[in-house]
Amino acid sequence: MKLKFYEEVIIWVKTLISSSNLFDSDFSWSTFLTACITVVWSLPPNFLPISGSDLENIFPAMDFLTASNKKGLGDKVEQFDNGTLNAEGKDVIVIGGGDTAMDCVRTSIRQNAKSVKCLYRRDKENMPGSAREVSNAEEEGVEFIWLSGPKKFEGVNKIENLIVNKMILGDPDETGRRKPI
């Protein structure tokens, strides 16, 4: 269950492999200043089982994408209009490497995010998302942080720091992709 969930988690530096599967060296990004939006897969909000996952600026990917699509169709979307689900001017982190993650990073770019990063626990060659989408995202300015998984979100009400675990890859799993250990 944990590995299945982890494979589906999404937006900037954000996961859940147990500490026995991680490098001893952790590092922290403290570039989450005042405005950061974080999006995760289409699981229930605040489902990330890591410390700080209940902070206010972590959102399910589908909420973010749905708000953006509705706004694009001309609908009134309160959470978009008030800036909650609008990436404009914000540092965005997407966790995961699937197609939903690519939708989130590319949507964030189109919304004029200040920066967009995609955190993924595997390398580019073992990413489940479309290689074309990844290439397009890179061309559009998305920064990919490979072999990284979130360990802990820190902040008061909103994310101020994200502690990230560096991952290594082991043998292939049943899908043929090398699994993080």
Side-chain angles (χ1 to χ4, degrees):
M1 173 63 179
K2 283 187 176 182
L3 288 178
K4 172 89 172 124
F5 169 74
Y6 184 73
E7 289 173 8
E8 296 178 353
V9 173
I10 323 187
I11 276 201
W12 183 8
V13 202
K14 305 184 305 169
T15 204
L16 44 72
I17 301 299
S18 70
S19 60
S20 63
N21 293 338
L22 306 171
F23 276 163
D24 291 333
S25 59
D26 295 338
F27 62 95
S28 172
W29 272 315
S30 55
T31 55
F32 291 115
L33 298 174
T34 55
C36 177
I37 189 171
T38 308
V39 180
V40 293
W41 180 234
S42 57
L43 295 169
N46 302 323
F47 188 70
L48 278 173
I50 60 176
S51 179
S53 64
D54 58 344
L55 293 172
E56 293 176 7
N57 51 337
I58 299 175
F59 304 99
M62 297 312 294
D63 290 0
F64 173 71
L65 293 171
T66 300
S68 182
N69 286 338
K70 285 182 175 182
K71 190 64 181 176
L73 293 170
D75 292 352
K76 178 171 175 33
V77 182
E78 184 177 341
Q79 284 193 303
F80 187 94
D81 295 337
N82 70 17
T84 302
L85 293 176
N86 182 348
E88 185 175 6
K90 297 177 182 173
D91 296 306
V92 177
I93 299 173
V94 176
I95 300 172
D99 291 331
T100 303
M102 295 307 96
D103 291 344
C104 289
V105 296
R106 296 186 74 201
T107 297
S108 297
I109 290 287
R110 286 175 181 76
Q111 289 182 4
N112 296 314
K114 181 178 169 185
S115 70
V116 180
K117 298 183 191 301
C118 184
L119 177 76
Y120 187 56
R121 67 188 180 126
R122 291 182 167 123
D123 60 12
K124 186 175 184 177
E125 292 74 29
N126 289 281
M127 204 168 173
S130 159
R132 182 177 178 193
E133 290 289 322
V134 173
S135 178
N136 289 341
E138 288 175 320
E139 289 172 9
E140 293 171 359
V142 173
E143 179 183 349
F144 286 84
I145 313 297
W146 307 111
L147 298 168
S148 298
K151 179 178 179 180
K152 179 180 178 182
F153 301 104
E154 297 178 329
V156 177
N157 298 322
K158 291 190 174 191
I159 298 170
E160 296 170 10
N161 292 296
L162 175 59
I163 307 301
V164 177
N165 291 310
K166 292 302 292 179
M167 313 300 279
I168 58 173
L169 296 178
D171 294 328
D173 62 15
E174 62 279 352
T175 69
R177 294 180 295 148
R178 291 179 61 198
K179 59 184 173 184
I181 54 174

